[in-house]
Amino acid sequence: MRTLLLVYLCTYAVWGRSLDYDDDDDDGDGKASVAANATAAVDARGHRPLQRGREAYSPVRNAPPPISSGSRYRGRPSAPQVSPGRVQEKEEQPDRGGCSHASQELGVLCPNGCELKTALLKQERDVRTSISELQPQVEQLTRSSNDVHNYVSRVSASLRERQRVIGDNSATVSRYTDSVEEQHAYIKETVDTVFPSSIRILQGVLDQVRQKIQKLEKAIQAQQEDCKEPCRTRCPIPVVSGKECEDIFRRGGTESQMYLVQPDTAAPPYRVFCDQITHNGGWLLIQSRLDGSVDFGRRWDDYRRGFGNVALDAGKGRCDTPGEYWLGNDRISQLTNAGPTELLIEMQDWTGAKVFARYQKFTVQSAASNYVLAVDGYSGNAGNSFMEGSLELFGVNRTMTIHNGMMFSTYDRDNDNWTPGDPAKQCSREDGGGWWYNRCHSSNPNGRYYMGGAYTRHMAKHGTDDGVVWMNWKGSWYSQKAISMKVRPFFKS
């Protein structure tokens, strides 16, 4: 029997030990952390919990691999009420003794002197007895009379004091009445003289504001008339052209500006901005945010065709300054499916600091797959949000911020992983732009542009982190000043 009890205790100890979690997961307070994470619901927004939990993180996504073979170019250099005591009423005593003529007690005949004397003595004894009994009551009544007298005296004194206070209050009321009358006179004078003058002044200011509003309305109407037609960049096109910016660079177009490219000879050429300086040049700009001048909250067709201003003339007679634009998903897919393509993402905060993220392999699938994103080969100092998600989150909260393998989504075409088909749960509708959303993001380059960088959920339209966000660098509630995405055919340097 002892042996069986010993075996049972050992088995229970081993089973209890198997329920403990690893030290790495609880960080000294594992039980509280696990209990909290077991009951906490997963939130598919950017302000998810930041504590470490037991959820499973899956960095490897079932995503199609990017194109990696068939290089197009060889390398080139270089928050109780006590109730008052009841006064016992005096009990009235009936008369005792006494002699009344022809009373029944004295007999029917008229009494003689002895009988009268006897009766009187008897009555005297009775009266003495009654007096003795009444003596304490008289004394008590005397004391009560004294108490009543004292009480009346106190009431009289209190009444005199109250009369004095009333007199003082009357004097005070008289003083305040005088003051109120003075203030009334001042208010009447103000209302009769000062207010009309101030109202006239305010009316004049209101008239001026009304005139300015009318001028602004006219200016807005004029701008609306001018903007009926899409904005077009008017700059001279360089003579040098090519299939993409790398081809142009190799043909001698080494200055960063707007060029004409034609990746497919069966399709018409189009304008792009080529960066021929950064990392040895050859970069074709597919996305650019600089000042918030272009609205990126667009429909699916806009993102498919492209929108915005490719380049601007800074006064040199050529378009050497990039504008804000999205090249278009059809063109991006065409460029990245022509062969191995690398991606360079550069960003700048509102203090001037700059970081970058570079992917040696970057492919956007065709429209039939809703432009699925595939990347690999990260390097840089901005953080690998495309493949690893937000580093400040843990477990499934982090997994749901990975962009690799996601389809492209806009507010009118929901392809994200946040309850597909539910119009109340769309990442693009809440986060301000089209992007490869998951549930929802760790980066949001096409989000709403906020001046100054830091913003709050009270400033956001839907209370979500909808700015130009790169969480692994500045977190969810900081909107970048500038961000750009550039592609180039991959080749070994």
Side-chain angles (χ1 to χ4, degrees):
M1 190 68 182
R2 293 181 179 177
T3 303
L4 289 176
L5 181 59
L6 182 59
V7 171
Y8 175 78
L9 291 176
C10 293
T11 303
Y12 182 80
V14 172
W15 176 77
R17 183 175 301 174
S18 65
L19 294 179
D20 294 337
Y21 294 115
D22 296 338
D23 293 336
D24 294 337
D25 291 328
D26 45 26
D27 293 335
D29 192 15
K31 295 181 180 179
S33 175
V34 170
N37 285 282
T39 56
V42 174
D43 184 7
R45 291 304 328 157
H47 40 276
R48 291 179 289 272
L50 306 182
Q51 71 271 19
R52 184 184 297 274
R54 293 290 297 177
E55 301 91 343
Y57 167 60
S58 302
V60 179
R61 306 289 298 174
N62 294 324
I67 295 176
S68 59
S69 61
S71 179
R72 290 171 281 176
Y73 296 96
R74 293 184 179 180
R76 55 181 174 83
S78 334
Q81 183 178 356
V82 179
S83 58
R86 182 175 179 181
V87 179
Q88 185 176 0
E89 296 181 358
K90 180 179 178 183
E91 182 180 357
E92 295 183 0
Q93 301 292 331
D95 293 340
R96 292 183 179 180
C99 179
S100 58
H101 179 70
S103 67
Q104 186 176 2
E105 290 79 3
L106 297 179
V108 178
L109 298 178
C110 180
N112 54 28
C114 293
E115 293 174 347
L116 288 175
K117 179 179 179 181
T118 303
L120 288 174
L121 289 175
K122 183 178 180 180
Q123 291 180 0
E124 181 181 2
R125 288 195 301 271
D126 294 339
V127 168
R128 286 183 181 276
T129 303
S130 299
I131 290 173
S132 299
E133 294 176 352
L134 289 174
Q135 185 70 30
Q137 297 179 6
V138 170
E139 292 176 356
Q140 182 178 359
L141 181 61
T142 301
R143 289 193 298 270
S144 299
S145 298
N146 291 334
D147 293 340
V148 170
H149 175 74
N150 294 332
Y151 176 75
V152 170
S153 298
R154 289 195 300 270
V155 170
S156 298
S158 176
L159 180 60
R160 288 193 297 272
E161 180 65 22
R162 290 177 182 271
Q163 288 175 345
R164 184 186 64 78
V165 172
I166 290 172
D168 294 340
N169 289 341
S170 298
T172 303
V173 169
S174 299
R175 290 197 302 270
Y176 278 109
T177 301
D178 296 338
S179 176
V180 169
E181 289 178 352
E182 292 177 359
Q183 293 178 5
H184 178 265
Y186 172 76
I187 292 172
K188 186 175 185 304
E189 180 182 1
T190 301
V191 171
D192 292 342
T193 59
V194 177
F195 280 6
S197 176
S198 300
I199 290 173
R200 287 194 298 271
I201 295 173
L202 291 175
Q203 286 178 343
V205 173
L206 181 61
D207 292 337
Q208 294 178 359
V209 172
R210 186 180 293 110
Q211 293 175 359
K212 291 182 179 180
I213 291 174
Q214 291 175 352
K215 291 181 180 179
L216 289 174
E217 288 177 347
K218 292 180 180 179
I220 291 173
Q221 185 176 1
Q223 290 180 1
Q224 288 177 347
E225 292 294 331
D226 293 339
C227 292
K228 284 184 177 179
E229 296 295 329
C231 297
R232 299 183 181 276
T233 302
R234 299 178 179 178
C235 293
I237 303 298
V239 175
V240 183
S241 63
K243 293 183 295 183
E244 73 285 301
C245 294
E246 175 64 22
D247 190 21
I248 292 174
F249 185 91
R250 293 173 184 257
R251 293 185 180 188
T254 57
E255 293 184 358
S256 297
Q257 59 176 322
M258 185 178 70
Y259 289 93
L260 203 64
V261 298
Q262 190 177 17
D264 186 0
T265 56
Y270 52 88
R271 295 177 176 87
V272 298
F273 187 89
C274 293
D275 179 359
Q276 309 294 46
I277 298 175
T278 305
H279 295 284
N280 296 326
W283 297 99
L284 189 153
L285 197 66
I286 64 172
Q287 186 262 12
S288 178
R289 305 295 299 275
L290 296 169
D291 51 18
S293 59
V294 175
D295 181 16
F296 274 66
R298 303 292 186 107
R299 295 179 176 271
W300 177 268
D301 288 340
D302 291 334
Y303 272 96
R304 178 179 59 82
R305 293 189 300 261
F307 57 86
N309 301 316
V310 174
L312 305 172
D313 183 1
K316 297 181 180 179
R318 55 190 176 90
C319 288
D320 59 348
T321 302
E324 286 201 337
Y325 75 99
W326 179 261
L327 181 63
N329 290 339
D330 282 345
R331 292 172 178 173
I332 296 173
S333 177
Q334 182 188 50
L335 288 169
T336 59
N337 279 276
T341 304
E342 59 179 328
L343 171 69
L344 177 64
I345 304 175
E346 295 180 305
M347 60 199 81
Q348 178 183 355
D349 66 10
W350 290 85
T351 66
K354 297 179 180 180
V355 294
F356 73 95
R358 187 172 180 176
Y359 295 89
Q360 289 185 352
K361 301 174 184 179
F362 170 70
T363 304
V364 176
Q365 304 295 339
S366 65
S369 67
N370 293 321
Y371 307 109
V372 172
L373 172 69
V375 293
D376 199 3
Y378 166 79
S379 63
N381 56 359
N384 186 5
S385 66
F386 280 7
M387 301 180 68
E388 297 181 353
S390 174
L391 299 181
E392 67 183 26
L393 303 176
F394 301 95
V396 67
N397 289 308
R398 177 175 168 187
T399 302
M400 68 174 62
T401 62
I402 296 174
H403 296 287
N404 188 30
M406 295 297 105
M407 294 182 289
F408 200 85
S409 292
T410 57
Y411 70 84
D412 63 334
R413 185 78 68 88
D414 182 19
N415 294 317
D416 59 45
N417 281 349
W418 186 22
T419 314
D422 187 348
K425 296 180 179 180
Q426 294 186 15
C427 295
S428 180
R429 186 180 298 275
E430 292 194 357
D431 292 343
W435 192 244
W436 292 279
Y437 291 112
N438 192 337
R439 292 177 57 194
C440 282
H441 66 255
S442 57
S443 61
N444 193 34
N446 293 338
R448 294 183 175 89
Y449 195 88
Y450 289 93
M451 301 296 291
Y455 67 106
T456 65
R457 68 182 68 236
H458 303 291
M459 298 166 60
K461 184 176 181 180
H462 297 281
T464 60
D465 50 341
D466 60 356
V468 182
V469 169
W470 195 274
M471 292 176 64
N472 287 341
W473 185 33
K474 291 292 184 176
S476 299
W477 303 101
Y478 189 94
S479 184
Q480 311 299 327
K481 180 179 181 181
I483 189 168
S484 63
M485 299 173 62
K486 308 169 185 179
V487 295
R488 178 177 74 180
F490 176 74
F491 56 89
K492 293 183 180 181
S493 301

